[in-house]
């Protein structure tokens, strides 16, 4: 990939290059607290921001959008908050399905499926099936996702192939790790945005974001909209990407 000049900020939706944006959607709880509302209210408003960025993405030249919705560590939260998040997920998957299909979005969910209830699993499967032919935005939502866990799972798969004699350990390369990650069908993220002013990765796409440009936005996720996304991309486009070269 070539380094981008600041002038590439003019890059539009139709230049044909893939552009993968990953977002750590953070700040729902603080948004609610600032208004004296329960945390759930922040999560509910945050779901509207998901719709806004999904709809703004194609016009900004984004071909792949990956959203961190629920981490493998978020199970540590109070049961009541987890139940609220699961209800919201059910609601989102049901109510947005038609809208996603209408916008030609292809939705995929990554993360371990082991801790979700069967009805949530069924809704995920239905949403993936119904949008599977979408040729527009490739939308990935990370649920019960943790990057270290994903890498551990990949290591186990690779170890099984070695034990079965189908993979020679001497030949293992980055591509072998890649093909065992849940993101195997995605290009690496070009930009990783985190909202709410926090400046950490929180176990998201550790392998994949090796050369992603990091953009930290002070905006709380429920306030984040298409204009904020455009601003983050404008920031990204001023960066000189080097990939270790000069
Ligand atoms: C992000 O907002 C949503 C999830 C992690 C599910 P938070 O709930 O983490 O909000 P803050 O960080 O407490 O403000
Ligand atoms: C990261 O946010 C996970 C999601 C946005 C889904 P957290 O709010 O859980 O991260 P920490 O705990 O502040 O690092
Ligand atoms: Mg948070």
């Amino acid at each position: 990939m070539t380094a981008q000049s600041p002038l590439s900020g003019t890059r539009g939706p139709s230049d044909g290059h893939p552009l993968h944006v990953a977002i750590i959607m953070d700040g729902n709880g603080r948004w609610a607290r600032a208004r004296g509302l329960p945390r759930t209210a922040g999560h509910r408003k945050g779901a509207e921001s998901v719709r806004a960025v999904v709809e703004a993405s194609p016009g900004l030249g984004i071909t792949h959008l990956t959203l961190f919705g629920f981490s493998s560590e978020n199970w540590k939260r109070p049961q009541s908050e987890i139940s609220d998040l699961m209800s919201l997920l059910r609601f989102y998957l049901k109510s947005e399905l038609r809208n996603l299909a209408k916008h030609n979005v292809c939705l995929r969910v990554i993360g371990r499926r082991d801790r979700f209830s069967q009805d949530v699993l069924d809704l995920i499967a239905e949403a993936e099936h119904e949008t599977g032919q979408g040729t527009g935005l490739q939308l990935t939502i990370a649920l019960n996702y943790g990057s270290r866990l994903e890498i551990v799972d990949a290591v186990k798969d690779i170890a099984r192939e070695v034990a079965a004699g189908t993979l020679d350990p001497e030949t293992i390369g980055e591509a072998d790790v890649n093909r065992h990650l849940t993101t195997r069908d995605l290009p690496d993220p070009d930009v990783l945005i985190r909202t709410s002013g926090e400046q950490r990765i929180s176990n998201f796409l550790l392998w994949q974001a090796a050369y992603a440009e990091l953009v930290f936005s002070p905006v709380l996720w429920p306030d984040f909209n298409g204009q904020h996304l455009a601003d983050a991309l404008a920031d990204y486009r001023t960066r000189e990407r080097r990939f270790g070269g000069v």
Side-chain angles (χ1 to χ4, degrees):
M1 214 179 281
T2 51
Q4 306 230 328
S5 79
L7 284 178
S8 58
T10 55
R11 218 168 81 167
S14 57
D15 74 351
H17 291 86
L19 176 60
H20 184 180
V21 174
I23 308 182
I24 301 173
M25 310 183 289
D26 199 15
N28 295 354
R30 278 162 284 166
W31 183 93
R33 191 173 60 205
R35 286 160 182 77
L37 297 170
R39 293 177 61 84
T40 325
H43 296 316
R44 217 174 302 130
K45 185 72 167 49
E48 291 176 25
S49 300
V50 172
R51 173 186 270 206
V53 298
V54 166
E55 291 187 357
S57 286
L60 294 169
I62 296 169
T63 53
H64 299 77
L65 178 68
T66 299
L67 303 175
F68 202 4
F70 189 86
S71 78
S72 49
E73 289 74 36
N74 287 148
W75 298 103
K76 292 177 194 162
R77 296 187 177 202
Q79 190 51 48
S80 58
E81 180 168 349
I82 292 171
S83 304
D84 286 343
L85 282 166
M86 291 303 142
S87 299
L88 191 61
L89 176 60
R90 285 185 189 90
F91 178 77
Y92 180 84
L93 289 170
K94 282 185 205 159
S95 63
E96 283 302 298
L97 187 50
R98 200 171 298 167
N99 197 36
L100 293 173
K102 193 179 94 188
H103 285 89
N104 207 17
V105 173
C106 176
L107 171 71
R108 280 212 43 223
V109 171
I110 58 168
R112 275 210 188 157
R113 303 276 166 113
D114 55 352
R115 291 182 73 171
F116 294 109
S117 60
Q118 191 56 48
D119 70 311
V120 169
L121 292 174
D122 291 345
L123 284 169
I124 291 172
E126 187 191 350
E128 288 184 330
H129 180 74
E130 293 294 318
T131 63
Q133 303 305 316
T135 54
L137 181 68
Q138 303 297 296
L139 172 64
T140 303
I141 303 188
L143 299 173
N144 187 20
Y145 176 87
S147 191
R148 287 186 170 185
L149 212 51
E150 180 188 38
I151 292 169
V152 166
D153 286 343
V155 169
K156 282 186 190 162
D157 282 345
I158 290 169
R160 280 187 207 104
E161 289 182 10
V162 170
T166 55
L167 183 63
D168 174 0
E170 297 310 320
T171 67
I172 295 174
E174 291 187 12
D176 294 293
V177 177
N178 254 324
R179 73 185 162 82
H180 287 97
L181 297 175
T182 58
T183 52
R184 65 183 73 88
D185 299 324
L186 300 172
D188 283 346
D190 299 292
V191 200
L192 176 58
I193 300 169
R194 184 172 188 144
T195 62
S196 87
E198 303 295 347
Q199 301 192 2
R200 56 179 171 269
I201 307 296
S202 298
N203 205 14
F204 190 44
L205 303 178
L206 299 179
W207 169 279
Q208 300 88 336
Y211 275 101
E213 294 294 329
L214 307 180
V215 178
F216 298 107
S217 166
V219 177
L220 300 173
W221 179 250
D223 289 326
F224 199 84
N225 58 31
Q227 185 55 52
H228 296 118
L229 182 60
D231 292 346
L233 281 186
D235 184 346
Y236 158 68
R237 285 174 172 143
T238 65
R239 314 278 181 91
E240 183 192 357
R241 302 186 76 189
R242 292 184 151 195
F243 300 98
V246 287

